[in-house]
Amino acid sequence: MTVVSLGMNWQRKVNKALVRFTGFQIERAGKEPSAPPVPDVRPPADPLTDRLLEAPVFLLSPVRSGSTLLRSILNAHSALHAPHELHVRRLKVSFETSLASKAMAALGHNQADLEHLLWDRVLHRELVRSGKRHVVDKTPANAFVYQRIATCWPDARFIFLLRHPASIATSWHEASPDKRTPDEAALDALRYMKAVQRARKALPGLTVKYEELSAEPERVTREICAFLGLEWEPEMLSYGKQSVIQKGLGDWRDKIRSGTVQPARELPAEHEIPDALKPISRTWGYIS
């Protein structure tokens, strides 16, 4: 027993040293890698102190659903700052030592609390630099963590942007045809659609359809302004040149470069909708 115990202690010491200096550790062959612990997500203990942002706006939508167009329109409003996709949910905080963890715990902070402080600080800094009153974040992947966003900012407001599922899938394939077949694009985009639908069921907010925004931009933008408690501004309909046109941070293609609202593509016939997308198409009212 003594020999085995010493051997195990030796392995632990080696693993600790490897993790400290390389970030890697030795594990027994065939053993499943352990998943990182899920942080304890909770609302801010003191919202007035812990949050600099007031009532941030989150545009939740699937990929390729017109979110960059709507972001551009909203950014043209004098009170709204809608930057490119920020992906703040991917910003992480970690404790390098147990003493750091203990020190933060003594202040009442866990890992998730500190990440929320970071997210809030990044968005608030961006808002202050813009000189506007409200920030809008339109990162599509936010739909996968809608519960955490709503927990981080209890006063957050949500706009849900929908588009015909078959049109989303076609556009997602066209965006990177060498990466996804049409069928793969449909299934991948469906993940986002389902996440947005879950968020719509769980959170209060305003639902907007891309096709209606393209066909009647003034009516739809007036509805959005009313939802946000803002006066409508005609400048929203001619949003102009975008400062960031880059793949991975939003739509980078010709339509968005035009600076004005362009007509949506013709809706597909029902027989052109992939079977996997028919249930969500029915839920969103595109087919009966």
Side-chain angles (χ1 to χ4, degrees), residues 69-80 132 213 217-218 221-222 225 230-242 258-261:
L69 170 63
L70 183 51
R71 175 196 74 78
S72 304
I73 290 171
L74 296 178
N75 193 55
H77 194 285
S78 62
L80 297 173
K132 296 186 177 184
L213 175 65
E218 180 173 339
T221 53
R222 283 184 180 276
C225 286
L230 300 172
E231 293 292 327
W232 181 77
E233 296 178 357
E235 291 80 7
M236 300 174 74
L237 303 185
S238 183
Y239 54 83
K241 183 179 179 181
Q242 296 301 290
S258 69
T260 57
V261 180

Side-chain angles (χ1 to χ4, degrees), residues 43-270:
D46 184 352
L48 293 179
T49 302
D50 294 347
R51 297 293 177 268
L52 299 178
L53 284 179
E54 292 184 12
V57 180
F58 290 90
L59 174 56
L60 299 185
S61 69
V63 291
R64 310 304 301 174
S65 58
S67 61
T68 298
L69 170 63
L70 183 51
R71 175 196 74 78
S72 304
I73 290 171
L74 296 178
N75 193 55
H77 194 285
S78 62
L80 297 173
H81 178 52
H84 61 270
E85 295 173 14
L86 297 177
H87 299 274
V88 292
R89 80 181 186 100
R90 295 298 190 185
L91 302 179
K92 301 295 182 182
V93 170
S94 63
F95 300 119
E96 291 295 321
T97 66
S98 60
L99 286 177
S101 177
K102 290 179 180 178
M104 292 300 99
L107 295 179
H109 303 311
N110 65 17
Q111 177 187 339
D113 298 333
L114 294 175
E115 288 175 352
H116 290 172
L117 289 172
L118 173 61
W119 298 358
D120 184 75
R121 186 65 181 86
V122 169
L123 290 180
H124 183 262
R125 178 180 185 273
E126 183 63 24
L127 178 62
V128 170
R129 293 179 69 197
S130 74
K132 296 186 177 184
R133 288 189 285 138
H134 305 286
V135 71
V136 181
D137 186 359
K138 75 93 174 174
T139 309
N142 281 344
F144 294 110
V145 291
Y146 70 86
Q147 301 105 319
R148 187 164 180 185
I149 289 173
T151 302
C152 178
W153 292 281
D155 60 347
R157 294 171 291 175
F158 296 92
I159 298 173
F160 307 103
L161 178 63
L162 311 183
R163 186 184 183 185
H164 194 299
S167 298
I168 291 175
T170 298
S171 182
W172 193 223
H173 167 65
E174 293 173 350
S176 299
D178 55 329
K179 288 178 60 177
R180 312 175 193 90
T181 66
D183 288 342
E184 289 170 342
L187 292 176
D188 190 39
L190 182 58
R191 296 187 303 115
Y192 289 85
M193 300 179 212
K194 288 182 175 180
V196 170
Q197 182 58 22
R198 289 192 294 270
R200 287 182 69 211
K201 291 179 67 176
L203 301 172
L206 176 69
T207 295
V208 173
K209 287 191 173 181
Y210 168 71
E211 293 83 4
E212 294 179 3
L213 175 65
S214 299
E216 302 178 84
E218 180 173 339
R219 176 184 66 80
V220 174
T221 53
R222 283 184 180 276
E223 291 177 359
I224 294 172
C225 286
F227 170 70
L228 297 177
L230 300 172
E231 293 292 327
W232 181 77
E233 296 178 357
E235 291 80 7
M236 300 174 74
L237 303 185
S238 183
Y239 54 83
K241 183 179 179 181
Q242 296 301 290
S243 59
V244 176
I245 302 290
Q246 183 177 334
K247 187 174 182 179
L249 297 179
D251 193 344
W252 68 100
R253 304 173 80 183
D254 291 342
K255 271 192 176 183
I256 203 66
R257 295 175 188 271
S258 69
T260 57
V261 180
Q262 300 294 307
R265 70 172 74 199
E266 185 176 347
L267 292 182
E270 185 167 346

